[in-house]
Amino acid sequence: MRDGLSRNVGKWLLPGLIVSLILVSVLSLRIGVVEISGREIVNVIWGWLTSSIGSAGMTGGASGGDPTPLEEIILRIRMPRIVLAGLVGASLALSGTVYQALFRNPMADPYVIGASAGASFGATVAMVMPLTFHVLKAGTIPLFAFIGSIAAVALVLNLARVGNSQRTSMVNLILAGVAVSSILSSLVSLFMFLMPQQGVHGLVFWLMGGFSGRNWDHTLSMLPGFVVGLAIILFYSRELNAILLGEEEALGLGVDVPRVTRWLVAAASLLTASSVAAGGIIGFVGLVVPHLMRMLVGPDHRRLIPSTCLLGAVFMLSADTVARSIIPPMELPVGIITSLAGGPFFIYLLRKYKIKEW
């Protein structure tokens, strides 16, 4: 089944995903509390592109002066949100792909492995801290989210080791991930309980996941983490294929498994931390998207990584479009949409294709 699908869809999959991403982006620009026609979108974007970037940039109007209400909606509200949603979706899908390959476990994703819980705990600590600082243009929340994510994954890996060896038990990995995630989630709840009442609402909405109020600053702050994480994963895509065969087989092929694993875990944790810091807790993307793409294109990560990246972006952007347009003028947290769509779809895939080989 999988080989047949790989042969049939492999040739057209990437072009199809790129076209889908463009179509969903255009649809997301049009749909919202204010409906915008395709002609108006084209006029605004064309005016923005042809105006002086130096005088207007991303913050000015298409004409170079003060932006009109239509330009404000398209250029300042919807476009940065679309780009950010795509980056978050691609990052979560990529991190899930890496974790599942490294640990050779179909249940491994940023949530099961504790990376998301660590990132959310770090970001929550940053939110309640009375000080704010920047390191290499990264704000307090992304930095603490990254530290929390790395620390949680390191703790889970150490807890999952068998005896004094470097071997990691899959059962121990899942149990350790669930335990560490539960502890960190409880600590986040404790912070919420102790926080002043006026800050709880914002923290709760952030934990439910969403892109409301995000702007170009949020998008640009996430971009370096995405580029670095993607570059590392692409660089080690061949080694990831070898590790998928088993640690001993990878060592026999000349792969420095401990070093490659450290780099890939750091890259996946960076992607997860950047996503959590930018969009809060958004589930199921890192679990469902890699599985779907693996069934379509097979386990070769040189093909799997770009297709997973694109489908993650399409999935997240579609979910965000539904979240902000299904009950206007209210806006649902996008994490609710991804869970409601991803959970049943994942069960459907399991039932339909009866996956016996991973």
Side-chain angles (χ1 to χ4, degrees), residues 95-225:
S95 60
T97 303
V98 171
Y99 285 134
Q100 288 168 16
L102 280 179
F103 305 127
R104 299 186 296 281
N105 191 314
M107 294 301 296
D109 81 334
Y111 291 86
V112 174
I113 213 68
S116 292
S120 63
F121 175 73
T124 302
V125 171
M127 284 184 177
V128 300
M129 282 178 61
L131 68 158
T132 301
F133 54 86
H134 290 75
V135 175
L136 299 176
K137 296 186 177 181
T140 311
I141 293 177
L143 283 174
F144 274 65
F146 177 66
I147 294 171
S149 179
I150 291 289
V153 172
L155 178 60
V156 169
L157 288 177
N158 277 305
L159 291 174
R161 284 179 179 170
V162 179
N164 295 324
S165 69
Q166 296 294 318
R167 191 167 66 87
T168 301
S169 164
M170 289 303 117
V171 175
N172 289 351
L173 181 71
I174 300 298
L175 294 177
V178 171
V180 170
S181 296
S182 298
I183 292 171
L184 293 175
S185 298
S186 299
L187 290 175
V188 170
S189 299
L190 178 62
F191 274 114
M192 292 170 58
F193 180 78
L194 296 177
M195 281 180 70
Q197 191 64 33
Q198 60 268 24
V200 173
H201 178 74
L203 179 57
V204 170
F205 197 81
W206 176 80
L207 288 174
M208 296 173 75
F211 303 103
S212 178
R214 303 302 193 271
N215 53 39
W216 284 114
D217 290 336
H218 296 92
T219 305
L220 294 177
S221 67
M222 182 178 174
L223 197 56

Side-chain angles (χ1 to χ4, degrees), residues 6-273:
S6 298
R7 287 193 299 271
N8 292 330
V9 306
K11 183 178 179 181
W12 301 104
L13 184 61
L14 280 180
L17 287 172
I18 293 172
V19 172
S20 299
L21 183 58
I22 294 172
L23 291 177
V24 175
S25 298
V26 172
L27 185 65
S28 185
L29 276 175
R30 293 192 60 181
I31 294 178
V33 176
V34 177
E35 296 285 341
I36 304 175
S37 69
R39 179 185 296 274
E40 290 172 323
I41 292 173
V42 170
N43 289 337
V44 168
I45 293 178
W46 179 254
W48 174 54
L49 292 175
T50 55
S51 66
S52 172
I53 299 299
S55 60
M58 293 178 180
T59 57
S63 60
D66 293 334
T68 65
L70 197 59
E71 292 170 346
E72 182 83 12
I73 293 172
I74 294 175
L75 298 178
R76 290 189 178 183
I77 298 176
R78 293 188 183 176
M79 280 187 66
R81 181 171 180 152
I82 287 170
V83 177
L84 183 62
L87 289 175
V88 169
S91 297
L92 291 175
L94 279 174
S95 60
T97 303
V98 171
Y99 285 134
Q100 288 168 16
L102 280 179
F103 305 127
R104 299 186 296 281
N105 191 314
M107 294 301 296
D109 81 334
Y111 291 86
V112 174
I113 213 68
S116 292
S120 63
F121 175 73
T124 302
V125 171
M127 284 184 177
V128 300
M129 282 178 61
L131 68 158
T132 301
F133 54 86
H134 290 75
V135 175
L136 299 176
K137 296 186 177 181
T140 311
I141 293 177
L143 283 174
F144 274 65
F146 177 66
I147 294 171
S149 179
I150 291 289
V153 172
L155 178 60
V156 169
L157 288 177
N158 277 305
L159 291 174
R161 284 179 179 170
V162 179
N164 295 324
S165 69
Q166 296 294 318
R167 191 167 66 87
T168 301
S169 164
M170 289 303 117
V171 175
N172 289 351
L173 181 71
I174 300 298
L175 294 177
V178 171
V180 170
S181 296
S182 298
I183 292 171
L184 293 175
S185 298
S186 299
L187 290 175
V188 170
S189 299
L190 178 62
F191 274 114
M192 292 170 58
F193 180 78
L194 296 177
M195 281 180 70
Q197 191 64 33
Q198 60 268 24
V200 173
H201 178 74
L203 179 57
V204 170
F205 197 81
W206 176 80
L207 288 174
M208 296 173 75
F211 303 103
S212 178
R214 303 302 193 271
N215 53 39
W216 284 114
D217 290 336
H218 296 92
T219 305
L220 294 177
S221 67
M222 182 178 174
L223 197 56
F226 175 77
V227 171
V228 172
L230 176 62
I232 294 173
I233 293 171
L234 287 173
F235 182 77
Y236 286 116
S237 59
R238 290 179 181 273
E239 287 80 359
L240 201 54
N241 286 339
I243 292 175
L244 194 60
L245 300 174
E247 186 171 336
E248 293 183 359
E249 288 79 0
L251 289 170
L253 292 171
V255 176
D256 186 347
V257 175
R259 182 176 63 85
V260 172
T261 299
R262 284 195 296 272
W263 275 105
L264 288 173
V265 167
S269 300
L270 176 61
L271 291 170
T272 301

